[in-house]
Amino acid sequence: MTDLVTFGETMARLENPVVGPMRHARSLDLGIGGAESNTAIGLCRLGGTAAWFGRVGDDEFGRLITTALAGEGVRLGHTVVDETAPTALLFKERRSGTLTRVQYYRTGSAGSRLCPSDVPHELIRSARVLHVTGITAAISDTARQALDDAIETARDAGVPVSLDVNYRAALWTPAEAGECLHNLVKRADLVFATEEEARLIVPGDDPAGLATALAALGPRDVLVKRGAAGVVASCEGRLHVLPAHRVPVIDPVGAGDAFAAGYLAEFVRERPIAERLATATAAGAYAVTVRGDWEGLPSRADLDLLQDAEDTVTR
């Protein structure tokens, strides 16, 4: 049995190594990034097992993705190499010390060609949780069909469905996204959303009200992520509030994926809600302290280090 099964589009990531407009960069750092695969890596680093499937191009970027994920322990047995479409690219521009801009080049990409025939039903049926995001619903009609197919397979098999809303304004408008995301929340057991994402789906002014309103649609656990302000969650009918760790923010991209990985790592181990939230906030804190979408994700051994004083050296 695999703890977590997830899927979607993972891209090659190019970013300028110094702060400033990308046009002035004399070199770019190469890596990978994708919301779902970030979460899979995070869960593996915390001692769980994860499988990711999707499509990558038959190119060096595609090979980079599969090599990096396999190296982190993510299972890739159902990933498709598409010989007719390229691997998508994302560019991260560190425009200032506090502002990061992300651009995507994914139209017609291999990942966007994900379709229902790519869905490994037996793998999903054997999972402890299926994790999906709203990004997959937005990248193409066939990917949305695959998403629906995977969710129905999980629900029929009694496998909990985890949804990270992950709204991307570059892919669809709030009006286009609202109805689809509302539908996805109704079929999910666990939901992760920022306050802004939650308001695409339900009305509400404060995090607690948003969490309660989302939970009323059906999910047992709803986690409203608030960045440096922490998290407000409605879990099994009760509200929980937990502050974030105070850490220097180097790169905020991927923090939500890390948070989801931490929560799900404890969920599949059937740990108490307080422990799930503690691991989630610790994982999110680690993620923002390192450049890259997933490179800073913690191991189990790392989790307690956040309790130490700042600038502590351990020997």
Side-chain angles (χ1 to χ4, degrees):
M1 178 177 282
T2 304
D3 289 333
L4 178 139
V5 172
T6 189
F7 63 98
E9 180 168 50
T10 296
M11 296 162 282
R13 183 189 75 225
L14 291 162
E15 60 181 302
N16 51 335
V18 295
V19 174
M22 187 171 283
R23 64 181 176 271
H24 297 312
R26 294 297 174 262
S27 63
L28 295 175
D29 290 339
L30 175 63
I32 69 168
E36 301 86 2
S37 56
N38 293 345
T39 301
I41 291 171
L43 192 127
C44 287
R45 287 198 177 177
L46 290 169
T49 56
W52 176 88
F53 67 91
R55 286 181 174 242
V56 297
D58 185 15
D59 49 37
E60 283 301 298
F61 292 140
R63 285 181 275 280
L64 170 65
I65 289 168
T66 55
T67 299
L69 292 180
E72 291 292 330
V74 179
R75 300 172 183 177
L76 302 171
H78 297 275
T79 297
V80 175
V81 176
D82 191 324
E83 298 180 355
T84 62
T87 302
L89 300 177
L90 74 83
F91 288 85
K92 283 176 66 176
E93 180 187 43
R94 301 172 66 207
R95 188 58 186 85
S96 72
T98 58
L99 174 64
T100 299
R101 296 193 295 202
V102 181
Q103 269 188 297
Y104 303 98
Y105 292 80
R106 65 201 316 173
T107 302
S109 66
S112 69
R113 295 189 179 193
L114 184 74
C115 62
S117 64
D118 297 329
V119 177
H121 301 282
E122 287 306 314
L123 178 67
I124 292 171
R125 292 188 186 104
S126 68
R128 288 191 168 90
V129 65
L130 172 70
H131 180 66
V132 301
T133 78
I135 298 170
T136 306
I139 57 175
S140 71
D141 290 340
T142 60
R144 187 181 301 187
Q145 292 163 15
L147 177 65
D148 288 336
D149 199 9
I151 290 173
E152 288 312 304
T153 296
R155 287 168 58 86
D156 289 345
V159 174
V161 175
S162 164
L163 168 69
D164 194 334
V165 172
N166 252 322
Y167 173 71
R168 295 289 184 267
L171 294 175
W172 51 357
T173 67
E176 290 170 330
E179 183 178 355
C180 178
L181 294 172
H182 187 276
N183 232 0
L184 290 173
V185 168
K186 289 174 66 175
R187 294 187 288 162
D189 299 282
L190 303 95
V191 172
F192 302 88
T194 65
E195 292 179 63
E196 293 75 16
E197 290 169 342
R199 290 190 183 97
L200 294 173
I201 304 162
V202 293
D205 296 321
D206 63 282
L210 290 167
T212 301
L214 286 173
L217 297 179
R220 73 175 92 162
D221 291 2
V222 172
L223 298 100
V224 176
K225 301 172 293 183
R226 306 187 65 217
V231 59
V232 174
S234 173
C235 299
E236 299 174 5
R238 295 185 59 187
L239 279 173
H240 304 259
V241 179
L242 194 68
H245 292 273
R246 297 181 64 183
V247 295
V249 177
I250 304 300
D251 186 350
V253 177
D257 306 327
F259 183 93
Y263 193 86
L264 294 172
E266 306 298 13
F267 175 81
V268 298
R269 295 172 67 229
E270 300 182 353
R271 305 306 300 161
I273 291 167
E275 193 170 332
R276 299 179 207 171
L277 292 171
T279 300
T281 54
Y286 267 106
V288 303
T289 61
V290 175
R291 281 182 54 206
D293 294 30
W294 55 269
E295 285 81 348
L297 292 167
S299 66
R300 285 266 168 208
D302 292 329
L303 294 178
D304 291 338
L305 296 179
L306 282 178
Q307 308 307 320
D308 295 334
E310 291 184 8
D311 301 322
T312 294
V313 177
T314 61
R315 300 184 188 276

